[in-house]
Amino acid sequence: MAPAALRRRFEEVFPAFLKTGQGAAVGKTTELTARRKDGSEFPVDLSLAAVQKGQEWHAVALVRDITDRKRAEEALRESQEGFRSVVENAPEAIFVAAQGCFRYLNPAALRLFGATSDSELLNQPVLEHVHPDSRAYVTQAIQQVEKLGAPIPPWVQKYLRLDGTVLDIEGSVVPFIYKGEKGGLVFVRDVSERTRAEEELRAKEYLLSESQSIARVGSWEATLQSGATTWTPEAFRLFGVSPDTFVPSAETFVSLIHPDDQPAMQAWMGACLAGLEPPDLEFRVPLQDGSVRYINGRGHLVRDAEHKPVRMVGVVQDITDFRRSEELLLLRTEELKRSNTELEQFAYVASHDLQEPLRMVSSYMQLLARRYQGKLDSDADEFIAFAVDGAKRMQQLINDLLAFSRVTTKGHDFKPVEADASLKQALANLTAAIGESQAIVTSDPLPVVSADSGQLTQLFQNLIGNAIKFRGKEPPRVHVSVERQAKEWVFSVQDNGIGIEPRHLDRIFVIFQRLHSAAEYPGTGIGLAICKKIAERHGGRLWVTSEPGAGSTFHFTIPVKGL
Ligand code: ADP
């Protein structure tokens, strides 16, 4: 039984077949739908052959029920579609390549490469979409899969999106036959973010390691309970050990430090374990070459939510250079102190001992002058007068030198001194000069300072004395003020005198240096040298600011006590 449509077609072509034995279906197998008596339909295979009997042609038909085959084919088609839908919907990018070209890409793979349809990539060489850095690897992988049929273990390589941007891809390949071609089934994932994060981390680690090496600072971390300890590369370098051979721990670490410093280190670590915040600890590390490295260690306890110490983190810093220069400085300071003391003693002894013979010369010269004045010729009178004057000047110089050396050798201890009182005393000592010059000296309220009161008086006296001595045409006006600056008092003695040329500002503090002749202004040039020495002995400084013709201001500092 055949369905109506088939029957109609049969009736159209069959008469011609009977005559010629020719027909489209002859010699072929055709799939048809047959109908049973009960009206149900089923698939059949119809094979037709033509046989001639006399003038007529007969058709020999072989009909086979193919219901089971059809069912199997349907099931296969369904399963293939199911499989394809899994691949199409997989979140993971999957593609098939054969002969080095893309043959199939699932939507996730298309998205990965930045394609909107597979026509943009299908049948294109895979290598065109691989970053030059990864081309050698991918070329070799394609060969391995296609020629040897071997799988490729997971890899990370650089690919290119269609817009040219770089993709870091993690993937794996299994050999796969696609539509009869030998190729590979490739599972890939975009790991650009992860790679970037890893690169950033690597860059940060590099930066940390470089900065630690430049600063010669290493760091470490120890878990208190397990004792697990990690060191940075610089920490290993500072202790002169290799990370390949040395396993850092509380015990092994102590063995690296100088035996004399080990007890202190043990105590330090004990305090850490007891949960105390430990102070800095300095220790030495003997190195292979026999030298010693000085290290400053600093640690910090890390506590958990219940405030229990769980970890210690810390840094170790190489302070060898600092210690060496400190030692050198100490040595130099000692040397300097010694030579300074020697010099002071020399100046004192020399000036003190010179006084005696000079007094003799001076008194005999004066005797000579008194007794023989006018009795010898006029030249002799003049010569004797020169000699008397020279001896006087020499005496003055020796006195000055003695006064200068006494600033340190005969100075008194520092006590709290009312600077106002010292100033008052200085002004009392200057009564004659003030009266004579009609000077007006004013001052701000002055603080209590830690000083040698006699020397503070001398300082004020010398500066105010000079302010009066080096006056201009106007009657001298002198003002003493003070200002607190951070850790020191800055005193100023300001005048309206002749001023000092900028090029002489430093010279005037040197012993016996003067800018004028004794005839213009009397003096020996010792005053400011003494003032400078007094200021320095008190831990301060002395300097001047001045404008020729407009007056000068001398400043000196005294440290604020207790700071
Ligand atoms: P002296 O007063 O004995 O000359 P000083 O050491 O006190 O020695 O001063 C050195 C030089 O500094 C002085 O000769 C003078 O030229 C200059 N000088 C000091 N104080 C003043 C001042 N207030 N004004 C101008 N010049 C000054």
Side-chain angles (χ1 to χ4, degrees), residues 438-449:
Q438 304 198 326
I440 298 170
V441 183
T442 53
S443 69
D444 291 345
L446 303 181
V448 172
V449 291

Side-chain angles (χ1 to χ4, degrees), residues 25-271:
V26 176
K28 287 189 186 151
T29 304
T30 317
E31 267 184 34
L32 295 169
T33 307
R35 195 164 59 211
R36 296 193 187 85
K37 261 189 181 163
D38 63 6
S40 63
E41 294 185 345
F42 65 99
V44 291
D45 250 3
L46 174 70
S47 306
L48 270 187
V51 179
Q52 197 171 23
K53 275 196 179 167
Q55 288 295 305
E56 274 211 327
W57 283 87
H58 289 242
V60 179
L62 188 68
V63 178
R64 193 164 43 178
D65 181 348
I66 56 167
T67 309
D68 286 348
R69 198 184 86 199
K70 275 282 172 203
R71 221 172 262 153
E73 276 177 8
E74 184 64 15
L76 184 65
R77 200 177 53 75
E78 272 176 13
S79 104
Q80 270 177 353
E81 265 172 17
F83 178 68
R84 195 178 177 92
S85 121
V86 168
V87 173
E88 295 274 306
N89 292 306
E92 184 151 18
I94 299 168
F95 67 83
V96 175
Q99 293 188 34
C101 293
F102 289 113
R103 294 292 191 235
Y104 166 80
L105 297 106
N106 76 348
L110 292 174
R111 275 198 301 278
L112 188 82
F113 283 104
T116 42
S117 84
D118 56 6
S119 62
E120 290 171 80
L121 287 165
L122 274 188
N123 299 322
Q124 284 195 17
V126 174
L127 276 182
E128 277 181 15
H129 300 275
V130 174
H131 187 276
D133 290 356
S134 290
R135 278 189 193 146
Y137 177 87
V138 175
T139 307
Q140 195 239 324
I142 290 173
Q143 276 187 358
Q144 189 170 329
V145 174
E146 294 189 357
K147 302 238 161 68
L148 308 176
I152 310 286
W155 40 258
V156 175
Q157 295 298 330
K158 288 193 184 311
Y159 275 65
L160 296 168
R161 286 195 194 85
L162 286 176
D163 65 6
T165 53
V166 181
L167 260 176
D168 286 298
I169 283 184
E170 182 185 63
S172 55
V173 189
V174 287
F176 190 69
I177 294 188
Y178 186 73
K179 296 189 176 164
E181 269 185 318
K182 265 193 198 172
L185 179 63
V186 189
F187 299 86
V188 288
R189 193 175 323 140
D190 180 0
V191 290
S192 306
E193 276 297 313
R194 197 183 77 194
T195 320
R196 224 193 35 236
E198 280 169 1
E199 267 164 19
E200 252 171 43
L201 194 69
R202 256 198 302 280
K204 275 185 187 150
E205 273 174 4
Y206 175 75
L207 186 69
L208 179 73
S209 152
E210 280 299 291
S211 357
Q212 289 210 337
S213 147
I214 293 166
R216 304 194 61 73
V217 172
S219 47
W220 54 270
E221 183 176 21
T223 309
L224 293 187
Q225 208 181 13
S226 66
T229 308
T230 47
W231 285 10
T232 59
E234 187 59 20
F236 283 98
R237 270 199 293 276
L238 290 186
F239 283 95
V241 287
S242 156
D244 303 331
T245 50
F246 183 79
V247 182
S249 75
E251 295 77 38
T252 56
F253 151 69
V254 173
S255 70
L256 295 178
I257 70 174
H258 194 287
D260 291 354
D261 296 342
Q262 287 183 3
M265 179 53 78
Q266 300 278 16
W268 190 87
M269 291 200 304

Side-chain angles (χ1 to χ4, degrees), residues 400 462-471 493-501 504-505 507-517 521-531 544 546 551-554:
D400 286 349
N462 284 3
L463 295 180
I464 297 167
N466 277 350
I468 294 169
K469 179 162 59 165
F470 297 102
R471 62 178 173 268
V493 178
Q494 187 182 15
D495 65 43
N496 61 341
I498 59 170
I500 302 158
E501 288 208 32
H504 297 313
L505 291 181
R507 232 184 87 193
I508 57 171
F509 297 102
V510 178
I511 189 164
F512 299 140
Q513 288 286 336
R514 318 197 61 229
L515 305 180
H516 310 277
S517 70
Y521 295 97
T524 56
I526 192 81
L528 288 180
I530 288 181
C531 290
V544 65
S546 177
S552 316
T553 306
F554 284 81

Side-chain angles (χ1 to χ4, degrees), residues 408-471:
T408 39
T409 53
K410 299 281 185 261
H412 292 113
D413 290 346
F414 298 162
K415 293 199 182 98
V417 174
E418 284 183 24
D420 272 324
S422 299
L423 175 64
K424 213 165 149 199
Q425 182 58 50
L427 295 178
N429 299 347
L430 289 166
T431 311
I434 292 172
E436 212 171 275
S437 62
Q438 304 198 326
I440 298 170
V441 183
T442 53
S443 69
D444 291 345
L446 303 181
V448 172
V449 291
S450 172
D452 173 334
S453 73
Q455 291 189 344
L456 188 58
T457 301
Q458 195 178 1
L459 192 50
F460 280 129
Q461 190 174 325
N462 284 3
L463 295 180
I464 297 167
N466 277 350
I468 294 169
K469 179 162 59 165
F470 297 102
R471 62 178 173 268

